[in-house]
């Protein structure tokens, strides 16, 4: 928990990361940044999907519509927070010459998206109106 708090503080003070270890090859830092941006694009897509479900499926039962929309919106929020946390953890690991951190988040996100997709298949097969 203390490590998480330290990482959150570093989100807003990236210059402190430079004080740790040695400067890695800039190509690795740029690759880390591209990965961060890919996660942000994924988060934006999830958020857009949540709004789309809410706005463009008005005939869907309220519970289904809100549940699916909130699942996608929540996944988008978590994905954006994970992106910055993973970016700072990777940058610190590279500077210290350590192995890059591993995460279960991609698997959890994949399962959440699959559950929402299965729910959407059910909605399509059963119909929108209850």
């Amino acid at each position: 928990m203390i490590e998480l708090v330290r990482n959150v503080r570093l989100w807003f003070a990236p210059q402190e990361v430079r004080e740790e270890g040695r400067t890695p090859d800039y190509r690795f830092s740029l690759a880390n940044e591209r990965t961060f941006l890919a996660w942000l694009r994924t988060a934006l897509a999830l958020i857009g999907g949540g709004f789309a479900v809410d706005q463009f499926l008005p005939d869907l039962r309220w519970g289904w519509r809100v549940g699916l929309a909130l699942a996608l919106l929540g996944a988008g929020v978590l994905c954006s927070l994970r992106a910055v946390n993973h970016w700072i953890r990777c940058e610190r690991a590279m500077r210290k010459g350590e192995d890059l951190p591993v995460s279960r988040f991609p698997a959890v996100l994949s399962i959440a998206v699959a559950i929402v997709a299965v729910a959407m298949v059910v909605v399509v097969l059963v119909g929108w109106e209850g």
Side-chain angles (χ1 to χ4, degrees):
M1 185 64 161
I2 294 171
E3 187 68 22
L4 176 64
V5 172
R6 175 169 162 62
N7 284 342
V8 170
R9 190 177 52 76
L10 289 174
W11 294 358
F12 303 100
Q15 68 277 6
E16 288 185 30
V17 175
R18 289 184 160 183
E19 297 171 5
E20 295 185 40
R22 299 180 298 116
T23 302
D25 184 333
Y26 71 91
R27 293 173 292 183
F28 298 120
S29 290
L30 292 174
N32 189 29
E33 185 174 332
R34 285 191 301 274
T35 302
F36 165 74
L37 293 172
W39 278 103
L40 284 185
R41 285 190 299 274
T42 302
L44 287 171
L46 290 165
I47 291 167
F51 279 118
V53 165
D54 185 53
Q55 294 300 306
F56 298 119
L57 298 177
D59 296 334
L60 188 61
R61 278 191 200 169
W62 183 85
W64 275 97
R65 186 171 46 105
V66 169
L68 292 171
L70 288 177
L72 289 168
L73 291 168
V77 168
L78 291 175
C79 191
S80 65
L81 293 174
R82 189 269 184 191
V84 70
N85 192 53
H86 189 72
W87 172 78
I88 203 77
R89 289 175 60 212
C90 286
E91 197 64 31
R92 290 179 67 209
M94 286 188 299
R95 295 186 73 79
K96 293 177 176 181
E98 298 174 353
D99 289 340
L100 294 179
V102 295
S103 174
R104 291 184 186 101
F105 185 80
V108 172
L109 180 64
S110 296
I111 291 168
V113 169
I115 289 169
V116 170
V118 167
M120 291 301 295
V121 167
V122 169
V123 166
V124 168
L125 292 176
V126 172
W128 291 359
E129 296 187 44

